[in-house]
Amino acid sequence: MLDIRHIVGAVLLFVKGLVKLIGECEDFSELEKGVHELCQDVCNQIFTWALEKIDTRLMNERDRSIWEVVGFRTKTAISTFGEFPLKRRLYRNKETGETKFFLDELLGWPERARVTPYLKELAIKLSTELSFGRAAEILSYLVPKLSTMTIWHITQEAGEILQQEGEEKRAAVFEDGEAPSGKEVVRELHIEGDGVIVNLQREKEKRGEIKHIVTYEGKKQVSRNRFALQNKLVVSTLSEGQVAWEESYARAGGKWDLEQIKEIYIGGDGAKWIKEGLEYFPGAVYCLDPYHLNRHLTEALWYDEETFQKVGAAISHSNWQETQAILTEAIKKTRGNRKKRLIKLLHYLEENWTGIINSAGAKRLGTIEGQIQHNVARRMKRLGAKWTTTGGDRMARLLAAKANGELSNYASRWPVEHGKLKEIAQIKPVEKSVEKQKAGEIGEWLQATIPALKGPFADRPWIKHVLRELTRPEFAALIC
């Protein structure tokens, strides 16, 4: 694809720049930064040359009776090795008037895409950890001219793909009536849900709740005090609880054979929307998350250890009458805010008593708080963070994809034509006479354009062992 002139040009560009850097740098940091930028320039040059050679090959091999060249068009793109211009030919169909770029079609390059796929992937991963501005700032150290808005647009595009995919999966089951076709078989399944309140902007409501649902097969001990969820599936959305559960069911049904599961436990903090999950998973048992139960007990009875112990014992024996009696007596003896907290606790326990007494299932749960903090809250609840409903939903879905280990799948993938590219990249055999002729032409060109090969510095290592080697006929024939 490249000829000797391109290779020599790239080598000279790098050597010339490196010599200048070494002679002018004031410290190693400046040298390192300069070499990085120099490598980007060389990569840009070689990559641009290669694409232009492919475009020329496509022009020569086109059906000239149908396709005519209109002219060149240039687009500017940004990749991990910086910004580069790409000049390619525009073609018009003589019969239909259709126009297209053969090179763009071969590479699968979308019409308005400016950022390359791998750089998009890096930007999306960074934006799920940091604010858009901070992500742009960090990437700009390696790839200049990548703005905050560019990062924002990249994440919005990926989030929109996730939104569409989630809606399609949900609609297929609940609107089109398709039965989930999951193949994995397990004895029991654990589902936990919780909400995260985030600040909204440009919306009627000032706050919104992200519904976070984690489904997993069980827990595996990975160290003394650490457990990992086995084969987990995360769904996260700013939509209503019904939508969250429908999508969660559709995704779970596409992964597991739900009819073969013997036991399903649904855990939560007592919120109404979480209990609605029982409607989607027949035979499931609801369990109150032990973390939230302990938190409510502590908030109401932190000052009265004796009553705390009595209530805890009554709950552990699944005795509602005794629990109610102890708290009723405590309410009579208190005033003010403490009394209000006790009344609130009594109502909370009464509403969630069924979930509390399902202790056999409850002991298997208790993971949602850590999951929601690690997966969602640390990114979306950071100081000053505000979201639109659409933007918040897309980011929540990106964070869920990250938790599922699927984030890279939603960076834009350009489907190249592998067969055609492979054909273009193959080295065609050249007859010996032609080979010698080409080698002679290259030698004459090198002598005319690179005097260093025969000048006073011809014995310098970089000339002797690099440039001179490039003039060898066998090497020239290989890369012509």
Side-chain angles (χ1 to χ4, degrees), residues 194 209 268-276 286 288 348 352:
D194 201 357
E209 183 181 30
D269 61 357
K272 182 179 179 181
W273 76 266
I274 298 176
K275 295 177 181 178
E276 291 173 355
Y286 176 74
L288 186 68
Y348 180 79
N352 292 282

Side-chain angles (χ1 to χ4, degrees), residues 206-451:
K206 292 184 177 181
R207 292 180 177 82
E209 183 181 30
I210 295 173
K211 314 298 190 302
H212 196 66
I213 301 174
V214 181
T215 306
Y216 58 99
E217 297 174 3
K219 298 177 183 178
K220 181 179 180 180
Q221 188 168 4
V222 294
S223 63
R224 184 175 181 181
N225 296 314
R226 287 185 65 244
F227 292 83
L229 303 186
Q230 292 182 295
N231 206 11
K232 72 176 179 180
L233 174 67
V234 179
V235 172
S236 195
T237 176
L238 202 54
S239 303
E240 296 298 324
Q242 178 183 346
V243 174
W245 276 115
E246 288 182 355
E247 185 175 333
S248 186
Y249 176 84
R251 288 185 179 273
K255 184 178 180 68
W256 292 283
D257 184 349
L258 299 180
E259 293 184 358
Q260 300 296 321
I261 298 175
K262 304 300 182 182
E263 299 175 8
I264 300 179
Y265 299 98
I266 296 179
D269 61 357
K272 182 179 179 181
W273 76 266
I274 298 176
K275 295 177 181 178
E276 291 173 355
L278 296 171
E279 301 174 10
Y280 296 90
F281 294 89
V285 176
Y286 176 74
C287 306
L288 186 68
D289 187 335
Y291 169 84
H292 290 92
L293 174 59
N294 291 332
R295 190 180 72 179
H296 278 80
L297 289 171
T298 303
E299 287 177 352
L301 293 168
W302 61 269
Y303 63 92
D304 189 345
E305 184 176 354
E306 182 181 354
T307 304
F308 183 94
Q309 296 293 340
K310 289 181 179 180
V311 172
I315 291 175
S316 66
H317 290 96
S318 302
N319 190 330
W320 168 243
Q321 287 74 21
E322 184 178 355
T323 302
Q324 185 181 40
I326 294 170
L327 286 175
T328 301
E329 184 64 26
I331 290 170
K332 294 178 181 178
K333 298 178 180 179
T334 56
R335 297 288 185 272
N337 289 331
R338 290 183 177 178
K339 184 171 186 175
K340 291 179 181 179
R341 291 194 189 100
L342 286 173
I343 294 173
K344 183 180 178 181
L345 173 62
L346 182 60
H347 290 160
Y348 180 79
L349 295 177
E350 184 175 9
E351 291 175 356
N352 292 282
W353 189 252
T354 301
I356 292 172
I357 61 176
N358 290 325
S359 57
K363 68 181 181 181
R364 297 181 175 89
L365 303 177
T367 190
I368 191 63
E369 280 299 313
Q371 287 290 310
I372 206 166
Q373 175 62 32
H374 180 72
N375 296 341
V376 179
R378 68 191 182 108
R379 171 63 180 96
M380 300 192 68
K381 286 184 69 68
R382 65 176 64 249
L383 184 64
K386 290 187 177 182
W387 309 87
T388 62
T389 299
T390 300
D393 184 65
R394 289 175 179 175
M395 177 54 72
R397 292 175 181 276
L398 284 170
L399 293 170
K402 181 179 180 180
N404 291 330
E406 300 172 346
L407 190 58
S408 297
N409 299 341
Y410 298 94
S412 177
R413 300 293 183 187
W414 297 353
V416 300
E417 294 185 18
H418 294 284
K420 185 65 176 177
L421 272 180
K422 186 177 181 180
E423 177 187 339
I424 291 175
Q426 283 179 345
I427 300 170
K428 293 185 176 180
V430 181
E431 294 181 5
K432 288 188 177 181
S433 58
V434 176
E435 181 180 317
K436 289 181 179 180
Q437 181 182 351
K438 286 191 174 183
E441 292 174 355
I442 290 170
E444 292 175 4
W445 175 82
L446 287 172
Q447 291 177 11
T449 57
I450 310 178

Side-chain angles (χ1 to χ4, degrees), residues 98-117:
E98 175 193 2
T99 59
K100 65 180 177 179
F101 297 96
F102 285 178
L103 182 63
D104 290 12
E105 190 175 75
L106 176 69
L107 299 175
W109 198 314
E111 182 180 357
R112 299 184 181 278
R114 183 167 176 261
V115 181
T116 55

Side-chain angles (χ1 to χ4, degrees), residues 72-86:
F72 287 95
R73 300 291 186 272
T74 301
K75 72 188 314 182
T76 302
I78 304 177
S79 72
T80 50
F81 41 82
E83 186 177 69
F84 65 95
L86 177 60

Side-chain angles (χ1 to χ4, degrees), residues 6-7 9-15 17 35-49 81:
H6 296 135
I7 303 300
V11 172
L12 289 176
L13 175 65
F14 182 81
V15 172
V35 171
H36 172 75
E37 293 174 352
L38 182 60
C39 289
Q40 286 187 318
D41 291 340
V42 173
C43 287
N44 271 334
Q45 192 75 272
I46 294 176
F47 187 51
T48 302
W49 283 336
F81 41 82

